[in-house]
Amino acid sequence: MSHDETNGPIQVVEHTADWALQIRGRDLAELLHHAAQGLAGLLTGDLPVGTDEERTVRIDAYDTEGLLVGWLSELVYWAERDGLVFRDIDIREMTPTALAAIVRGSRVENLQKHIKAVTYHDLAIRSAGEGLEVTIVFDV
Amino acid sequence: MKTGDFKRLSPYLYEIPQAHRPDMRVPARFYADAELLQATLGDKSLDQLVNTATLPGIVAYALAMPDIHQGYGFPIGGVIATRVPDGVISPGGVGYDINCGVRLLGTNLHRSDVAPYLDELATQLQRNCPHGVGRGGGILLTRKQMEAIVRHGARWALEQGYATTSDLERTEENGCIDGAEPGKISERAYERARDQLGTLGAGNHFIEVDVVDRIFDETAAGRMGLFPGQVVAQIHCGSRGFGHQICTDYVNRFQRVVHQYGIELPDRELVCAPLDTPEGRDYLSAMKGAANFAFCNRQVLTHLIRRSFSDTLGGHTHEHQVYQIYDIAHNMAKIEQHEVDGRKMTVCVHRKGATRAFGPGSPVLPEVYRDIGQPVLVPGSMGTASWVLVGTEGSMAQSFGSTCHGAGRMMSRSRAKKEIQGSELRRELEEQGIRVRAGSLAGLAEEAPAAYKDVDRVIEVVHGAGIARKVARLVPVAVVKG
């Protein structure tokens, strides 16, 4: 999933101090999936990612934007804690405010970017065409 | 934001009136000259500044320093003060890198003493000081040790032999803010940072060897031991994953309660809670713990820098000393006393990319600096100058004892990465005589000097506005980037 494909589901947005991604998906599950892919792209660039590490992720949030932040924050945590990047995403259960997923990935020795956190800055999941769209600002 | 939305109050100070937007509780003010003003109008930073003027309990005005640029929630370079105890505290107003800050170390070495060994010194610094994405350090902390650092900050480093008493005396808050409770910090935060003490991190963090280029205030410079041609070193980093996780946890927790306190916000990253609520108190305590971790982190890095100087120069030069000049935070919320509308008030000053700059006479300053004002350390970007300033009566009167923290970005990271080649940049810097040791060339490109405003211009504004005074200008000779 490339970041810069015109009209692709993951687009880099100009931001002075940090990194921002505009993410699209046909539904919430796909939006979360693409958001995770976008994060993995920031972390690794084009470096290969295996599937030898697996984690179970459970998020219980206050609202849907909180679910998105909680989901990505979980992945940011594993990247900083153990250098793990997950590209294989299997969302098993999902409501607008909770999810359970199995994620598979691998340790990447030379992460391209240090993501400190996922912010709520101007965060709003909006209807766009027949799907959903959101812009996420990452603190780097 | 357009030019008709604000008025000029003085040569370097502008005001956006409270009437600009109905949800503003106070006016918003920012420092700039004509050129910096144009750069500021190029992004959303002034709109973000206006957003901070809506926070409950804010007093006087929301402020921005001349290095203001677009951040998330608060602009970077933003300062607000909220009433204690019923005003709010905002974790996003401190930022994820709690107590990101700068430390300046002086030496008794002249440029000519170090010049023959500069390559080796840069390499030793790179080797001894863990840096870069995902790099842990040489200290694996137990939970008990981490809790001790939360409570005692840099004092823990002193007990372990990584510090001198003089280092602590010359650190903001003496390297430890009282009132940090380990139980207010999540398991995740402890896990995330257990191998990160004494590490630099990545992004805009760096260790830099500089030379004193010019002295502007002989008395203050003399008190700090600064002299022309002197070799000094800077550290720029913060609380690493510990602070990132603490801020993440509390921004999430506050999202659940902000409406219970009747608070409406223009941006969810400004999420906040009154200081006199369980959430407000818990965050303040946890934030202090992260701040103490950051003070300790820069202290352990200081130890590693001293080792690097010894490894490089031992036996080659006269006996050398590496002593601390000062250590300051530029991402922090602190309970302080300030005069507002002619009367003393206790307020919570949020500085997000802004430096405390207390004037002469402040009882919290170490005795050695009390009559000259607090040293203020303003790093530039790679290849450009850095500055040593002191706080003034003007900063106490105008800006809640605050001033700028750096050059301030003006080019997005994505654009910098597209337009600037890391390898080319390194070559250019080397041609200027600056040794560069970088973990990532792409990361180096994002931090190119061209992505930043002119730090000398920023300094002219704070000096001209009277919210800090120039002491010395430094120029880089070696840079270690994450």
PDB file of all heavy atoms in Angstrom, chain B residues 121-127 129 131 200 205-209 435-439 478-482:
ATOM      1  N   LEU B 121      36.100  12.943  18.521  1.00  0.00           N
ATOM      2  CA  LEU B 121      35.117  13.303  19.546  1.00  0.00           C
ATOM      3  C   LEU B 121      33.694  13.032  19.041  1.00  0.00           C
ATOM      4  O   LEU B 121      32.868  12.458  19.764  1.00  0.00           O
ATOM      5  CB  LEU B 121      35.278  14.778  19.939  1.00  0.00           C
ATOM      6  CG  LEU B 121      34.294  15.310  20.978  1.00  0.00           C
ATOM      7  CD1 LEU B 121      34.403  14.543  22.302  1.00  0.00           C
ATOM      8  CD2 LEU B 121      34.508  16.805  21.229  1.00  0.00           C
ATOM      9  N   ALA B 122      33.420  13.419  17.798  1.00  0.00           N
ATOM     10  CA  ALA B 122      32.085  13.175  17.230  1.00  0.00           C
ATOM     11  C   ALA B 122      31.787  11.679  17.197  1.00  0.00           C
ATOM     12  O   ALA B 122      30.677  11.234  17.523  1.00  0.00           O
ATOM     13  CB  ALA B 122      31.991  13.778  15.825  1.00  0.00           C
ATOM     14  N   THR B 123      32.778  10.906  16.819  1.00  0.00           N
ATOM     15  CA  THR B 123      32.588   9.453  16.745  1.00  0.00           C
ATOM     16  C   THR B 123      32.371   8.859  18.130  1.00  0.00           C
ATOM     17  O   THR B 123      31.517   7.984  18.322  1.00  0.00           O
ATOM     18  CB  THR B 123      33.810   8.807  16.053  1.00  0.00           C
ATOM     19  OG1 THR B 123      33.917   9.385  14.744  1.00  0.00           O
ATOM     20  CG2 THR B 123      33.659   7.305  15.934  1.00  0.00           C
ATOM     21  N   GLN B 124      33.128   9.332  19.122  1.00  0.00           N
ATOM     22  CA  GLN B 124      32.953   8.829  20.493  1.00  0.00           C
ATOM     23  C   GLN B 124      31.571   9.194  21.032  1.00  0.00           C
ATOM     24  O   GLN B 124      30.936   8.387  21.717  1.00  0.00           O
ATOM     25  CB  GLN B 124      34.032   9.412  21.418  1.00  0.00           C
ATOM     26  CG  GLN B 124      35.409   8.828  21.228  1.00  0.00           C
ATOM     27  CD  GLN B 124      35.498   7.353  21.639  1.00  0.00           C
ATOM     28  OE1 GLN B 124      34.598   6.798  22.245  1.00  0.00           O
ATOM     29  NE2 GLN B 124      36.588   6.704  21.265  1.00  0.00           N
ATOM     30  N   LEU B 125      31.127  10.407  20.729  1.00  0.00           N
ATOM     31  CA  LEU B 125      29.785  10.806  21.180  1.00  0.00           C
ATOM     32  C   LEU B 125      28.730   9.897  20.551  1.00  0.00           C
ATOM     33  O   LEU B 125      27.783   9.456  21.205  1.00  0.00           O
ATOM     34  CB  LEU B 125      29.508  12.269  20.811  1.00  0.00           C
ATOM     35  CG  LEU B 125      30.251  13.316  21.639  1.00  0.00           C
ATOM     36  CD1 LEU B 125      30.155  14.693  20.987  1.00  0.00           C
ATOM     37  CD2 LEU B 125      29.702  13.378  23.071  1.00  0.00           C
ATOM     38  N   GLN B 126      28.911   9.630  19.264  1.00  0.00           N
ATOM     39  CA  GLN B 126      27.958   8.750  18.572  1.00  0.00           C
ATOM     40  C   GLN B 126      27.982   7.347  19.180  1.00  0.00           C
ATOM     41  O   GLN B 126      26.950   6.715  19.361  1.00  0.00           O
ATOM     42  CB  GLN B 126      28.295   8.693  17.084  1.00  0.00           C
ATOM     43  CG  GLN B 126      27.300   7.856  16.283  1.00  0.00           C
ATOM     44  CD  GLN B 126      27.718   7.704  14.836  1.00  0.00           C
ATOM     45  OE1 GLN B 126      28.901   7.644  14.530  1.00  0.00           O
ATOM     46  NE2 GLN B 126      26.743   7.655  13.948  1.00  0.00           N
ATOM     47  N   ARG B 127      29.173   6.876  19.508  1.00  0.00           N
ATOM     48  CA  ARG B 127      29.334   5.521  20.035  1.00  0.00           C
ATOM     49  C   ARG B 127      28.797   5.409  21.474  1.00  0.00           C
ATOM     50  O   ARG B 127      28.140   4.442  21.830  1.00  0.00           O
ATOM     51  CB  ARG B 127      30.832   5.172  20.007  1.00  0.00           C
ATOM     52  CG  ARG B 127      31.151   3.732  20.290  1.00  0.00           C
ATOM     53  CD  ARG B 127      32.640   3.493  20.100  1.00  0.00           C
ATOM     54  NE  ARG B 127      33.067   3.693  18.721  1.00  0.00           N
ATOM     55  CZ  ARG B 127      34.305   4.000  18.341  1.00  0.00           C
ATOM     56  NH1 ARG B 127      35.256   4.130  19.238  1.00  0.00           N
ATOM     57  NH2 ARG B 127      34.602   4.143  17.068  1.00  0.00           N
ATOM     58  N   CYS B 129      26.704   7.550  23.227  1.00  0.00           N
ATOM     59  CA  CYS B 129      25.378   8.092  23.555  1.00  0.00           C
ATOM     60  C   CYS B 129      24.334   7.429  22.665  1.00  0.00           C
ATOM     61  O   CYS B 129      24.220   7.780  21.473  1.00  0.00           O
ATOM     62  CB  CYS B 129      25.346   9.607  23.349  1.00  0.00           C
ATOM     63  SG  CYS B 129      26.635  10.465  24.289  1.00  0.00           S
ATOM     64  N   HIS B 131      21.399   6.574  20.404  1.00  0.00           N
ATOM     65  CA  HIS B 131      20.549   7.512  19.673  1.00  0.00           C
ATOM     66  C   HIS B 131      19.884   6.776  18.525  1.00  0.00           C
ATOM     67  O   HIS B 131      20.330   5.709  18.115  1.00  0.00           O
ATOM     68  CB  HIS B 131      21.392   8.670  19.135  1.00  0.00           C
ATOM     69  CG  HIS B 131      22.449   8.225  18.172  1.00  0.00           C
ATOM     70  ND1 HIS B 131      23.617   7.636  18.612  1.00  0.00           N
ATOM     71  CD2 HIS B 131      22.499   8.227  16.832  1.00  0.00           C
ATOM     72  CE1 HIS B 131      24.350   7.309  17.555  1.00  0.00           C
ATOM     73  NE2 HIS B 131      23.692   7.652  16.464  1.00  0.00           N
ATOM     74  N   LEU B 200      19.026   9.257  23.531  1.00  0.00           N
ATOM     75  CA  LEU B 200      18.698  10.534  22.895  1.00  0.00           C
ATOM     76  C   LEU B 200      17.356  10.492  22.178  1.00  0.00           C
ATOM     77  O   LEU B 200      16.606  11.465  22.173  1.00  0.00           O
ATOM     78  CB  LEU B 200      19.816  10.855  21.896  1.00  0.00           C
ATOM     79  CG  LEU B 200      19.897  12.231  21.294  1.00  0.00           C
ATOM     80  CD1 LEU B 200      20.087  13.293  22.371  1.00  0.00           C
ATOM     81  CD2 LEU B 200      21.060  12.278  20.302  1.00  0.00           C
ATOM     82  N   HIS B 205      15.923  15.604  18.070  1.00  0.00           N
ATOM     83  CA  HIS B 205      16.823  15.533  19.228  1.00  0.00           C
ATOM     84  C   HIS B 205      18.279  15.382  18.777  1.00  0.00           C
ATOM     85  O   HIS B 205      18.554  14.771  17.749  1.00  0.00           O
ATOM     86  CB  HIS B 205      16.413  14.363  20.123  1.00  0.00           C
ATOM     87  CG  HIS B 205      15.061  14.577  20.753  1.00  0.00           C
ATOM     88  ND1 HIS B 205      14.316  13.571  21.282  1.00  0.00           N
ATOM     89  CD2 HIS B 205      14.335  15.712  20.893  1.00  0.00           C
ATOM     90  CE1 HIS B 205      13.181  14.069  21.745  1.00  0.00           C
ATOM     91  NE2 HIS B 205      13.174  15.363  21.525  1.00  0.00           N
ATOM     92  N   PHE B 206      19.166  15.933  19.574  1.00  0.00           N
ATOM     93  CA  PHE B 206      20.576  15.901  19.151  1.00  0.00           C
ATOM     94  C   PHE B 206      21.504  16.117  20.327  1.00  0.00           C
ATOM     95  O   PHE B 206      21.100  16.595  21.389  1.00  0.00           O
ATOM     96  CB  PHE B 206      20.847  16.984  18.097  1.00  0.00           C
ATOM     97  CG  PHE B 206      20.608  18.384  18.593  1.00  0.00           C
ATOM     98  CD1 PHE B 206      21.545  19.037  19.371  1.00  0.00           C
ATOM     99  CD2 PHE B 206      19.427  19.053  18.290  1.00  0.00           C
ATOM    100  CE1 PHE B 206      21.320  20.319  19.852  1.00  0.00           C
ATOM    101  CE2 PHE B 206      19.191  20.335  18.765  1.00  0.00           C
ATOM    102  CZ  PHE B 206      20.138  20.965  19.543  1.00  0.00           C
ATOM    103  N   ILE B 207      22.745  15.769  20.106  1.00  0.00           N
ATOM    104  CA  ILE B 207      23.862  16.233  20.941  1.00  0.00           C
ATOM    105  C   ILE B 207      24.759  17.033  20.008  1.00  0.00           C
ATOM    106  O   ILE B 207      25.002  16.614  18.865  1.00  0.00           O
ATOM    107  CB  ILE B 207      24.633  15.049  21.554  1.00  0.00           C
ATOM    108  CG1 ILE B 207      23.760  14.352  22.609  1.00  0.00           C
ATOM    109  CG2 ILE B 207      25.955  15.509  22.171  1.00  0.00           C
ATOM    110  CD1 ILE B 207      24.322  13.040  23.102  1.00  0.00           C
ATOM    111  N   GLU B 208      25.200  18.173  20.467  1.00  0.00           N
ATOM    112  CA  GLU B 208      25.967  19.044  19.574  1.00  0.00           C
ATOM    113  C   GLU B 208      27.172  19.597  20.337  1.00  0.00           C
ATOM    114  O   GLU B 208      27.045  19.951  21.506  1.00  0.00           O
ATOM    115  CB  GLU B 208      25.048  20.194  19.115  1.00  0.00           C
ATOM    116  CG  GLU B 208      25.602  21.043  18.002  1.00  0.00           C
ATOM    117  CD  GLU B 208      24.516  21.963  17.429  1.00  0.00           C
ATOM    118  OE1 GLU B 208      23.678  21.481  16.651  1.00  0.00           O
ATOM    119  OE2 GLU B 208      24.518  23.160  17.770  1.00  0.00           O
ATOM    120  N   VAL B 209      28.302  19.645  19.670  1.00  0.00           N
ATOM    121  CA  VAL B 209      29.466  20.355  20.204  1.00  0.00           C
ATOM    122  C   VAL B 209      29.509  21.708  19.502  1.00  0.00           C
ATOM    123  O   VAL B 209      29.400  21.773  18.269  1.00  0.00           O
ATOM    124  CB  VAL B 209      30.780  19.576  19.954  1.00  0.00           C
ATOM    125  CG1 VAL B 209      31.973  20.335  20.537  1.00  0.00           C
ATOM    126  CG2 VAL B 209      30.689  18.175  20.539  1.00  0.00           C
ATOM    127  N   ARG B 435      31.057  18.394  11.827  1.00  0.00           N
ATOM    128  CA  ARG B 435      31.049  16.925  11.756  1.00  0.00           C
ATOM    129  C   ARG B 435      29.642  16.447  12.035  1.00  0.00           C
ATOM    130  O   ARG B 435      29.034  16.871  13.030  1.00  0.00           O
ATOM    131  CB  ARG B 435      31.999  16.322  12.792  1.00  0.00           C
ATOM    132  CG  ARG B 435      33.421  16.195  12.338  1.00  0.00           C
ATOM    133  CD  ARG B 435      34.071  17.519  12.044  1.00  0.00           C
ATOM    134  NE  ARG B 435      35.501  17.380  11.833  1.00  0.00           N
ATOM    135  CZ  ARG B 435      36.315  18.377  11.580  1.00  0.00           C
ATOM    136  NH1 ARG B 435      35.831  19.614  11.490  1.00  0.00           N
ATOM    137  NH2 ARG B 435      37.594  18.170  11.408  1.00  0.00           N
ATOM    138  N   VAL B 436      29.151  15.564  11.180  1.00  0.00           N
ATOM    139  CA  VAL B 436      27.782  15.072  11.326  1.00  0.00           C
ATOM    140  C   VAL B 436      27.812  13.574  11.540  1.00  0.00           C
ATOM    141  O   VAL B 436      28.430  12.832  10.767  1.00  0.00           O
ATOM    142  CB  VAL B 436      26.942  15.398  10.067  1.00  0.00           C
ATOM    143  CG1 VAL B 436      25.518  14.866  10.231  1.00  0.00           C
ATOM    144  CG2 VAL B 436      26.929  16.895   9.812  1.00  0.00           C
ATOM    145  N   ARG B 437      27.157  13.131  12.584  1.00  0.00           N
ATOM    146  CA  ARG B 437      26.984  11.695  12.838  1.00  0.00           C
ATOM    147  C   ARG B 437      25.478  11.481  12.962  1.00  0.00           C
ATOM    148  O   ARG B 437      24.870  11.888  13.963  1.00  0.00           O
ATOM    149  CB  ARG B 437      27.693  11.257  14.123  1.00  0.00           C
ATOM    150  CG  ARG B 437      29.197  11.522  14.143  1.00  0.00           C
ATOM    151  CD  ARG B 437      29.958  10.604  13.200  1.00  0.00           C
ATOM    152  NE  ARG B 437      31.401  10.800  13.290  1.00  0.00           N
ATOM    153  CZ  ARG B 437      32.092  11.692  12.577  1.00  0.00           C
ATOM    154  NH1 ARG B 437      31.460  12.482  11.722  1.00  0.00           N
ATOM    155  NH2 ARG B 437      33.411  11.785  12.715  1.00  0.00           N
ATOM    156  N   ALA B 438      24.883  10.870  11.958  1.00  0.00           N
ATOM    157  CA  ALA B 438      23.414  10.752  11.918  1.00  0.00           C
ATOM    158  C   ALA B 438      23.005   9.298  11.849  1.00  0.00           C
ATOM    159  O   ALA B 438      23.621   8.503  11.135  1.00  0.00           O
ATOM    160  CB  ALA B 438      22.860  11.508  10.717  1.00  0.00           C
ATOM    161  N   GLY B 439      21.940   8.967  12.588  1.00  0.00           N
ATOM    162  CA  GLY B 439      21.413   7.611  12.540  1.00  0.00           C
ATOM    163  C   GLY B 439      20.722   7.331  11.231  1.00  0.00           C
ATOM    164  O   GLY B 439      20.718   6.211  10.733  1.00  0.00           O
ATOM    165  N   ALA B 478      30.174  19.967  15.712  1.00  0.00           N
ATOM    166  CA  ALA B 478      29.886  18.535  15.568  1.00  0.00           C
ATOM    167  C   ALA B 478      28.463  18.264  16.051  1.00  0.00           C
ATOM    168  O   ALA B 478      28.031  18.827  17.059  1.00  0.00           O
ATOM    169  CB  ALA B 478      30.872  17.695  16.386  1.00  0.00           C
ATOM    170  N   VAL B 479      27.744  17.426  15.289  1.00  0.00           N
ATOM    171  CA  VAL B 479      26.341  17.134  15.607  1.00  0.00           C
ATOM    172  C   VAL B 479      26.126  15.627  15.582  1.00  0.00           C
ATOM    173  O   VAL B 479      26.519  14.963  14.624  1.00  0.00           O
ATOM    174  CB  VAL B 479      25.380  17.778  14.569  1.00  0.00           C
ATOM    175  CG1 VAL B 479      23.928  17.530  14.962  1.00  0.00           C
ATOM    176  CG2 VAL B 479      25.644  19.253  14.420  1.00  0.00           C
ATOM    177  N   VAL B 480      25.485  15.110  16.640  1.00  0.00           N
ATOM    178  CA  VAL B 480      25.026  13.717  16.636  1.00  0.00           C
ATOM    179  C   VAL B 480      23.514  13.751  16.628  1.00  0.00           C
ATOM    180  O   VAL B 480      22.889  14.288  17.547  1.00  0.00           O
ATOM    181  CB  VAL B 480      25.532  12.943  17.876  1.00  0.00           C
ATOM    182  CG1 VAL B 480      24.977  11.521  17.877  1.00  0.00           C
ATOM    183  CG2 VAL B 480      27.041  12.933  17.923  1.00  0.00           C
ATOM    184  N   LYS B 481      22.919  13.184  15.559  1.00  0.00           N
ATOM    185  CA  LYS B 481      21.455  13.159  15.429  1.00  0.00           C
ATOM    186  C   LYS B 481      20.974  11.726  15.534  1.00  0.00           C
ATOM    187  O   LYS B 481      21.651  10.794  15.133  1.00  0.00           O
ATOM    188  CB  LYS B 481      21.032  13.686  14.051  1.00  0.00           C
ATOM    189  CG  LYS B 481      21.379  15.112  13.777  1.00  0.00           C
ATOM    190  CD  LYS B 481      20.468  16.085  14.464  1.00  0.00           C
ATOM    191  CE  LYS B 481      19.080  16.120  13.869  1.00  0.00           C
ATOM    192  NZ  LYS B 481      18.231  17.139  14.491  1.00  0.00           N
ATOM    193  N   GLY B 482      19.754  11.601  16.028  1.00  0.00           N
ATOM    194  CA  GLY B 482      19.149  10.279  16.123  1.00  0.00           C
ATOM    195  C   GLY B 482      18.753   9.732  14.769  1.00  0.00           C
ATOM    196  O   GLY B 482      18.841  10.398  13.763  1.00  0.00           O
TER     197      GLY B 482
END
